[in-house]
């Protein structure tokens, strides 16, 4: 499916690596102007080299004050992809305050903060918008050693619905994309046990995990007018996992 985002400005968080990086590239190739927000400066430098014109913003989204400062004057944004997250592994009985707080702050609180900044701008300008929150199939099912992460994604489901409810009258749509495992840096780090990963893949009806491209395609669909009547909802890119 071809998308044309000419004339629109998009903001993507977690743009330095993985799904966020490929989302920036796809939006850039489809004509959007893109603000790329991430934490590692070198990633943003190389991304700007690959996609001339991309506007880099280097900030730790887990830091409320720094984020407010970095994005306070970001300017007009029509499309938002809240993608940045951390998957910090700890068995439930060993979950620390630090890891739990960090997971919630980056994966959930920053989604609310960045969305507030962007949605206020859309409402002030009187323009429609689309926001896509990158969740996970782990919003619905637990996974070993990822309690904090699963909680952040579970809560993102309700945050997405709450945003859809209140922003809908302003013609701002809000949805999630919920992938299964994707072999990015994050995906490779979720289990150190290759046998566990092999068995997990076999439990997917399609006998595979998701590719980055599959996730990006669903993001672009939800950002675009092709999904004009979809809000408060989600696309599961889970190779059928949740049917079992
Ligand atoms: P990666 O770890 O590959 O990339 C995450 C990106 O987000 C990095 O560029 C990272 O920057 C950035 N980021 C992380 N924390 C912050 C922060 N505090 N401030 C600013 N930027 C930050 O992850 P994926 O591409 O795999 O994941 C993208 C999204 O997809 C996430 O929301 C994830 O939960 C979701 N997802 C991923 C799955 C997977 O298996 N990979 C499965 C299901 C959902 P840096 O490296 O500099 O910290």
């Amino acid at each position: 499916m071809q998308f044309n985002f000419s004339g629109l400005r998009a903001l993507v968080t977690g743009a330095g690596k993985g799904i966020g990086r490929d989302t920036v590239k796809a939006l850039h190739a489809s004509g959007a102007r893109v603000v790329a927000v991430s934490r590692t400066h070198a990633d943003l430098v190389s991304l700007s080299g690959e996609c001339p014109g991309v506007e880099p913003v280097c900030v730790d989204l887990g830091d409320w004050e720094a984020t407010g400062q970095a994005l306070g004057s970001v300017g007009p944004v029509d499309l938002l992809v809240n993608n940045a997250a951390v998957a910090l592994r700890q068995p439930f009985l060993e979950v620390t305050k630090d890891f739990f707080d960090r997971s919630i702050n980056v994966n959930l609180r920053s989604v609310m903060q960045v969305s507030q900044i962007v949605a206020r701008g859309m409402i002030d300008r009187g323009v429609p918008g689309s926001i896509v929150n990158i969740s996970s199939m782990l919003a619905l099912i637990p996974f070993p050693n990822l309690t904090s992460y699963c909680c952040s994604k579970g809560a993102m489901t309700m945050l997405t619905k709450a945003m859809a409810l209140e922003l809908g009258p302003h013609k701002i749509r809000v949805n999630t994309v919920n992938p299964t495992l994707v072999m990015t840096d994050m995906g490779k780090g979720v289990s150190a046990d290759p046998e566990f990963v092999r068995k997990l893949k076999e439990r997917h009806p399609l006998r595979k995990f998701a590719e980055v491209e599959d996730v990006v395609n669903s993001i672009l669909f939800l950002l675009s007018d092709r999904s004009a009547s979809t809000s408060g909802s989600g696309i599961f890119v889970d190779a059928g996992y949740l049917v079992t």
Side-chain angles (χ1 to χ4, degrees), residues 13-21 37-41 43 59-63 82-87 102 106-107 133-138 149 153 156 177-188 190 212 215:
T13 71
K17 300 185 176 75
I19 292 165
R21 190 178 181 97
V37 182
S38 207
R39 189 169 51 168
T40 301
H41 180 65
D43 289 340
V59 67
D60 177 356
L61 291 161
D63 182 333
N82 286 306
N83 164 79
V86 288
R102 181 85 187 142
V106 176
N107 300 5
N133 297 329
I134 311 307
S135 182
S136 166
M137 71 176 187
L138 303 187
Y149 179 84
K153 297 299 189 183
M156 182 186 262
V177 171
N178 300 60
T180 180
L181 201 60
V182 186
M183 284 305 173
T184 58
D185 287 357
M186 180 187 286
K188 288 174 197 155
V190 297
V212 171
V215 181

Side-chain angles (χ1 to χ4, degrees), residues 181-202:
L181 201 60
V182 186
M183 284 305 173
T184 58
D185 287 357
M186 180 187 286
K188 288 174 197 155
V190 297
S191 173
D193 177 358
E195 187 55 16
F196 174 85
V197 173
R198 191 190 63 75
K199 285 189 185 149
L200 178 65
K201 189 187 275 186
E202 285 305 303

Side-chain angles (χ1 to χ4, degrees), residues 95-241:
V95 172
T96 58
K97 177 179 181 297
D98 273 1
F99 269 33
F100 190 80
D101 287 352
R102 181 85 187 142
S103 304
I104 296 298
N105 291 349
V106 176
N107 300 5
L108 184 68
R109 195 183 68 181
S110 83
V111 173
M112 187 183 70
Q113 186 186 16
V114 176
S115 300
Q116 284 176 336
I117 293 168
V118 166
R120 283 181 193 131
M122 290 168 175
I123 293 166
D124 285 349
R125 289 188 298 135
V127 298
S130 178
I131 299 175
V132 178
N133 297 329
I134 311 307
S135 182
S136 166
M137 71 176 187
L138 303 187
L140 295 189
I141 51 166
F143 194 88
N145 304 320
L146 282 177
T147 296
S148 303
Y149 179 84
C150 294
C151 288
S152 71
K153 297 299 189 183
M156 182 186 262
T157 304
M158 185 48 74
L159 177 61
T160 301
K161 289 177 192 282
M163 287 165 59
L165 178 71
E166 294 198 26
L167 299 178
H170 300 284
K171 309 241 177 302
I172 300 169
R173 299 184 296 109
V174 191
N175 293 288
T176 63
V177 171
N178 300 60
T180 180
L181 201 60
V182 186
M183 284 305 173
T184 58
D185 287 357
M186 180 187 286
K188 288 174 197 155
V190 297
S191 173
D193 177 358
E195 187 55 16
F196 174 85
V197 173
R198 191 190 63 75
K199 285 189 185 149
L200 178 65
K201 189 187 275 186
E202 285 305 303
R203 280 170 54 195
H204 289 65
L206 292 177
R207 304 289 185 267
K208 63 174 190 171
F209 298 131
E211 301 296 328
V212 171
E213 188 185 357
D214 304 330
V215 181
V216 173
N217 284 337
S218 293
I219 295 170
L220 296 194
F221 171 69
L222 288 172
L223 288 177
S224 78
D225 288 344
R226 308 277 172 96
S227 58
S229 298
T230 303
S231 195
S233 187
I235 295 182
F236 281 79
V237 187
D238 69 347
Y241 191 84

Side-chain angles (χ1 to χ4, degrees), residues 15-16 21 36-49 54-59:
R21 190 178 181 97
V37 182
S38 207
R39 189 169 51 168
T40 301
H41 180 65
D43 289 340
L44 291 171
V45 171
S46 64
L47 181 61
S48 300
V54 161
E55 302 165 58
V57 176
C58 194
V59 67

